[in-house]
mmCIF file of all heavy atoms in Angstrom:
data_model
loop_
_atom_site.group_PDB
_atom_site.id
_atom_site.type_symbol
_atom_site.label_atom_id
_atom_site.label_comp_id
_atom_site.label_asym_id
_atom_site.label_seq_id
_atom_site.Cartn_x
_atom_site.Cartn_y
_atom_site.Cartn_z
ATOM 1 N N LEU A 14 75.259 -45.401 -9.636
ATOM 2 C CA LEU A 14 75.068 -44.729 -10.903
ATOM 3 C C LEU A 14 73.618 -44.199 -11.030
ATOM 4 O O LEU A 14 73.401 -43.065 -11.448
ATOM 5 C CB LEU A 14 75.365 -45.678 -12.072
ATOM 6 C CG LEU A 14 75.133 -45.111 -13.466
ATOM 7 C CD1 LEU A 14 76.090 -43.990 -13.775
ATOM 8 C CD2 LEU A 14 75.256 -46.247 -14.503
ATOM 9 N N MET A 15 72.676 -45.021 -10.654
ATOM 10 C CA MET A 15 71.269 -44.628 -10.711
ATOM 11 C C MET A 15 70.978 -43.482 -9.750
ATOM 12 O O MET A 15 70.198 -42.560 -10.070
ATOM 13 C CB MET A 15 70.351 -45.798 -10.453
ATOM 14 C CG MET A 15 70.456 -46.965 -11.455
ATOM 15 S SD MET A 15 69.400 -48.378 -11.083
ATOM 16 C CE MET A 15 67.796 -47.675 -11.495
ATOM 17 N N THR A 16 71.618 -43.501 -8.581
ATOM 18 C CA THR A 16 71.461 -42.406 -7.618
ATOM 19 C C THR A 16 72.001 -41.113 -8.171
ATOM 20 O O THR A 16 71.339 -40.060 -8.098
ATOM 21 C CB THR A 16 72.155 -42.769 -6.297
ATOM 22 O OG1 THR A 16 71.586 -43.934 -5.753
ATOM 23 C CG2 THR A 16 72.032 -41.599 -5.319
ATOM 24 N N ALA A 17 73.157 -41.173 -8.784
ATOM 25 C CA ALA A 17 73.764 -39.952 -9.367
ATOM 26 C C ALA A 17 72.885 -39.418 -10.472
ATOM 27 O O ALA A 17 72.691 -38.194 -10.567
ATOM 28 C CB ALA A 17 75.167 -40.280 -9.908
ATOM 29 N N ALA A 18 72.372 -40.280 -11.323
ATOM 30 C CA ALA A 18 71.517 -39.841 -12.447
ATOM 31 C C ALA A 18 70.230 -39.223 -11.946
ATOM 32 O O ALA A 18 69.772 -38.171 -12.420
ATOM 33 C CB ALA A 18 71.254 -40.980 -13.389
ATOM 34 N N ALA A 19 69.565 -39.866 -10.973
ATOM 35 C CA ALA A 19 68.283 -39.384 -10.463
ATOM 36 C C ALA A 19 68.469 -38.080 -9.676
ATOM 37 O O ALA A 19 67.722 -37.098 -9.895
ATOM 38 C CB ALA A 19 67.625 -40.431 -9.577
ATOM 39 N N ALA A 20 69.410 -38.043 -8.772
ATOM 40 C CA ALA A 20 69.602 -36.849 -7.970
ATOM 41 C C ALA A 20 70.095 -35.683 -8.830
ATOM 42 O O ALA A 20 69.765 -34.506 -8.595
ATOM 43 C CB ALA A 20 70.593 -37.112 -6.837
ATOM 44 N N GLY A 21 70.875 -36.017 -9.882
ATOM 45 C CA GLY A 21 71.390 -34.975 -10.771
ATOM 46 C C GLY A 21 70.315 -34.264 -11.555
ATOM 47 O O GLY A 21 70.537 -33.159 -12.065
ATOM 48 N N ARG A 22 69.138 -34.859 -11.682
ATOM 49 C CA ARG A 22 68.044 -34.220 -12.418
ATOM 50 C C ARG A 22 67.322 -33.160 -11.587
ATOM 51 O O ARG A 22 66.618 -32.313 -12.134
ATOM 52 C CB ARG A 22 67.025 -35.226 -12.881
ATOM 53 C CG ARG A 22 67.553 -36.110 -14.013
ATOM 54 C CD ARG A 22 66.369 -36.760 -14.761
ATOM 55 N NE ARG A 22 65.594 -37.587 -13.805
ATOM 56 C CZ ARG A 22 65.836 -38.876 -13.537
ATOM 57 N NH1 ARG A 22 66.866 -39.466 -14.145
ATOM 58 N NH2 ARG A 22 65.100 -39.535 -12.671
ATOM 59 N N VAL A 23 67.492 -33.217 -10.272
ATOM 60 C CA VAL A 23 66.749 -32.255 -9.404
ATOM 61 C C VAL A 23 67.700 -31.354 -8.629
ATOM 62 O O VAL A 23 67.211 -30.399 -7.966
ATOM 63 C CB VAL A 23 65.850 -33.026 -8.400
ATOM 64 C CG1 VAL A 23 64.832 -33.852 -9.121
ATOM 65 C CG2 VAL A 23 66.681 -33.931 -7.476
ATOM 66 N N ALA A 24 69.029 -31.574 -8.720
ATOM 67 C CA ALA A 24 69.949 -30.743 -7.933
ATOM 68 C C ALA A 24 71.323 -30.797 -8.590
ATOM 69 O O ALA A 24 71.650 -31.724 -9.346
ATOM 70 C CB ALA A 24 70.040 -31.205 -6.495
ATOM 71 N N GLU A 25 72.150 -29.826 -8.280
ATOM 72 C CA GLU A 25 73.514 -29.756 -8.781
ATOM 73 C C GLU A 25 74.396 -30.745 -7.971
ATOM 74 O O GLU A 25 74.399 -30.691 -6.743
ATOM 75 C CB GLU A 25 74.050 -28.333 -8.626
ATOM 76 C CG GLU A 25 75.435 -28.134 -9.226
ATOM 77 C CD GLU A 25 75.406 -28.201 -10.770
ATOM 78 O OE1 GLU A 25 74.351 -27.977 -11.350
ATOM 79 O OE2 GLU A 25 76.498 -28.519 -11.339
ATOM 80 N N PRO A 26 75.147 -31.620 -8.670
ATOM 81 C CA PRO A 26 76.035 -32.521 -7.940
ATOM 82 C C PRO A 26 76.968 -31.773 -6.983
ATOM 83 O O PRO A 26 77.548 -30.765 -7.336
ATOM 84 C CB PRO A 26 76.815 -33.235 -9.039
ATOM 85 C CG PRO A 26 75.875 -33.191 -10.217
ATOM 86 C CD PRO A 26 75.182 -31.848 -10.119
ATOM 87 N N GLY A 27 77.113 -32.291 -5.757
ATOM 88 C CA GLY A 27 77.953 -31.665 -4.757
ATOM 89 C C GLY A 27 77.233 -30.713 -3.874
ATOM 90 O O GLY A 27 77.790 -30.260 -2.864
ATOM 91 N N SER A 28 76.016 -30.320 -4.219
ATOM 92 C CA SER A 28 75.293 -29.337 -3.443
ATOM 93 C C SER A 28 74.538 -30.002 -2.306
ATOM 94 O O SER A 28 74.303 -31.222 -2.352
ATOM 95 C CB SER A 28 74.267 -28.560 -4.333
ATOM 96 O OG SER A 28 73.291 -29.469 -4.801
ATOM 97 N N PRO A 29 74.158 -29.278 -1.263
ATOM 98 C CA PRO A 29 73.323 -29.847 -0.182
ATOM 99 C C PRO A 29 71.997 -30.446 -0.720
ATOM 100 O O PRO A 29 71.512 -31.420 -0.201
ATOM 101 C CB PRO A 29 73.069 -28.667 0.738
ATOM 102 C CG PRO A 29 74.203 -27.707 0.474
ATOM 103 C CD PRO A 29 74.547 -27.881 -0.963
ATOM 104 N N GLU A 30 71.448 -29.823 -1.750
ATOM 105 C CA GLU A 30 70.229 -30.322 -2.341
ATOM 106 C C GLU A 30 70.431 -31.707 -2.960
ATOM 107 O O GLU A 30 69.519 -32.581 -2.909
ATOM 108 C CB GLU A 30 69.650 -29.365 -3.362
ATOM 109 C CG GLU A 30 69.128 -28.044 -2.782
ATOM 110 C CD GLU A 30 70.254 -27.086 -2.442
ATOM 111 O OE1 GLU A 30 71.422 -27.338 -2.881
ATOM 112 O OE2 GLU A 30 69.999 -26.106 -1.741
ATOM 113 N N PHE A 31 71.613 -31.921 -3.531
ATOM 114 C CA PHE A 31 71.923 -33.214 -4.128
ATOM 115 C C PHE A 31 71.993 -34.285 -3.045
ATOM 116 O O PHE A 31 71.463 -35.389 -3.222
ATOM 117 C CB PHE A 31 73.275 -33.108 -4.879
ATOM 118 C CG PHE A 31 73.632 -34.331 -5.703
ATOM 119 C CD1 PHE A 31 73.296 -34.401 -7.028
ATOM 120 C CD2 PHE A 31 74.305 -35.361 -5.115
ATOM 121 C CE1 PHE A 31 73.632 -35.534 -7.787
ATOM 122 C CE2 PHE A 31 74.667 -36.496 -5.846
ATOM 123 C CZ PHE A 31 74.306 -36.578 -7.161
ATOM 124 N N VAL A 32 72.648 -33.961 -1.919
ATOM 125 C CA VAL A 32 72.730 -34.910 -0.825
ATOM 126 C C VAL A 32 71.349 -35.213 -0.300
ATOM 127 O O VAL A 32 71.000 -36.354 0.018
ATOM 128 C CB VAL A 32 73.654 -34.355 0.279
ATOM 129 C CG1 VAL A 32 73.655 -35.301 1.492
ATOM 130 C CG2 VAL A 32 75.067 -34.136 -0.213
ATOM 131 N N ALA A 33 70.486 -34.156 -0.211
ATOM 132 C CA ALA A 33 69.153 -34.342 0.275
ATOM 133 C C ALA A 33 68.340 -35.246 -0.693
ATOM 134 O O ALA A 33 67.540 -36.102 -0.207
ATOM 135 C CB ALA A 33 68.429 -32.998 0.436
ATOM 136 N N ALA A 34 68.568 -35.117 -1.971
ATOM 137 C CA ALA A 34 67.891 -35.965 -2.927
ATOM 138 C C ALA A 34 68.295 -37.435 -2.780
ATOM 139 O O ALA A 34 67.486 -38.345 -2.880
ATOM 140 C CB ALA A 34 68.167 -35.462 -4.348
ATOM 141 N N ALA A 35 69.561 -37.707 -2.493
ATOM 142 C CA ALA A 35 70.033 -39.074 -2.279
ATOM 143 C C ALA A 35 69.366 -39.681 -1.044
ATOM 144 O O ALA A 35 69.007 -40.881 -1.068
ATOM 145 C CB ALA A 35 71.552 -39.071 -2.131
ATOM 146 N N LEU A 36 69.194 -38.875 0.010
ATOM 147 C CA LEU A 36 68.503 -39.373 1.214
ATOM 148 C C LEU A 36 67.067 -39.720 0.900
ATOM 149 O O LEU A 36 66.546 -40.763 1.356
ATOM 150 C CB LEU A 36 68.574 -38.310 2.338
ATOM 151 C CG LEU A 36 69.953 -37.969 2.886
ATOM 152 C CD1 LEU A 36 69.834 -36.901 3.932
ATOM 153 C CD2 LEU A 36 70.634 -39.198 3.472
ATOM 154 N N VAL A 37 66.400 -38.857 0.132
ATOM 155 C CA VAL A 37 64.987 -39.135 -0.226
ATOM 156 C C VAL A 37 64.904 -40.394 -1.093
ATOM 157 O O VAL A 37 63.988 -41.209 -0.916
ATOM 158 C CB VAL A 37 64.382 -37.924 -0.975
ATOM 159 C CG1 VAL A 37 63.037 -38.278 -1.560
ATOM 160 C CG2 VAL A 37 64.283 -36.733 0.024
ATOM 161 N N LEU A 38 65.837 -40.595 -2.000
ATOM 162 C CA LEU A 38 65.842 -41.802 -2.825
ATOM 163 C C LEU A 38 65.990 -43.052 -1.940
ATOM 164 O O LEU A 38 65.282 -44.044 -2.166
ATOM 165 C CB LEU A 38 66.989 -41.767 -3.825
ATOM 166 C CG LEU A 38 66.811 -40.883 -5.076
ATOM 167 C CD1 LEU A 38 68.107 -40.758 -5.830
ATOM 168 C CD2 LEU A 38 65.717 -41.500 -5.986
ATOM 169 N N ALA A 39 66.867 -43.014 -0.934
ATOM 170 C CA ALA A 39 67.022 -44.151 -0.048
ATOM 171 C C ALA A 39 65.744 -44.398 0.741
ATOM 172 O O ALA A 39 65.279 -45.550 0.878
ATOM 173 C CB ALA A 39 68.178 -43.912 0.926
ATOM 174 N N LEU A 40 65.123 -43.316 1.246
ATOM 175 C CA LEU A 40 63.877 -43.476 1.999
ATOM 176 C C LEU A 40 62.728 -44.019 1.156
ATOM 177 O O LEU A 40 62.041 -44.976 1.558
ATOM 178 C CB LEU A 40 63.484 -42.149 2.605
ATOM 179 C CG LEU A 40 62.189 -42.131 3.459
ATOM 180 C CD1 LEU A 40 62.310 -43.064 4.640
ATOM 181 C CD2 LEU A 40 61.829 -40.716 3.881
ATOM 182 N N LEU A 41 62.545 -43.447 -0.031
ATOM 183 C CA LEU A 41 61.445 -43.911 -0.906
ATOM 184 C C LEU A 41 61.648 -45.357 -1.361
ATOM 185 O O LEU A 41 60.706 -46.170 -1.337
ATOM 186 C CB LEU A 41 61.328 -43.001 -2.098
ATOM 187 C CG LEU A 41 60.767 -41.562 -1.838
ATOM 188 C CD1 LEU A 41 60.795 -40.762 -3.153
ATOM 189 C CD2 LEU A 41 59.380 -41.648 -1.278
ATOM 190 N N SER A 42 62.857 -45.677 -1.798
ATOM 191 C CA SER A 42 63.115 -47.050 -2.264
ATOM 192 C C SER A 42 62.951 -48.017 -1.115
ATOM 193 O O SER A 42 62.405 -49.116 -1.269
ATOM 194 C CB SER A 42 64.481 -47.175 -2.896
ATOM 195 O OG SER A 42 65.516 -46.849 -2.001
ATOM 196 N N GLY A 43 63.440 -47.615 0.083
ATOM 197 C CA GLY A 43 63.265 -48.495 1.248
ATOM 198 C C GLY A 43 61.831 -48.713 1.644
ATOM 199 O O GLY A 43 61.381 -49.834 1.942
#
């Protein structure tokens, strides 16, 4: 849920940019 909310603020859900934001979230949190 937190990933969807955070990535949704910088990209449209379902778009390549949204997927890229999820990867960045995983990298930064890790």
Side-chain angles (χ1 to χ4, degrees):
L14 176 67
M15 296 179 73
T16 299
R22 287 199 302 271
V23 298
E25 185 69 25
S28 65
E30 292 77 14
F31 187 92
V32 176
L36 296 177
V37 170
L38 282 170
L40 178 62
L41 289 178
S42 61

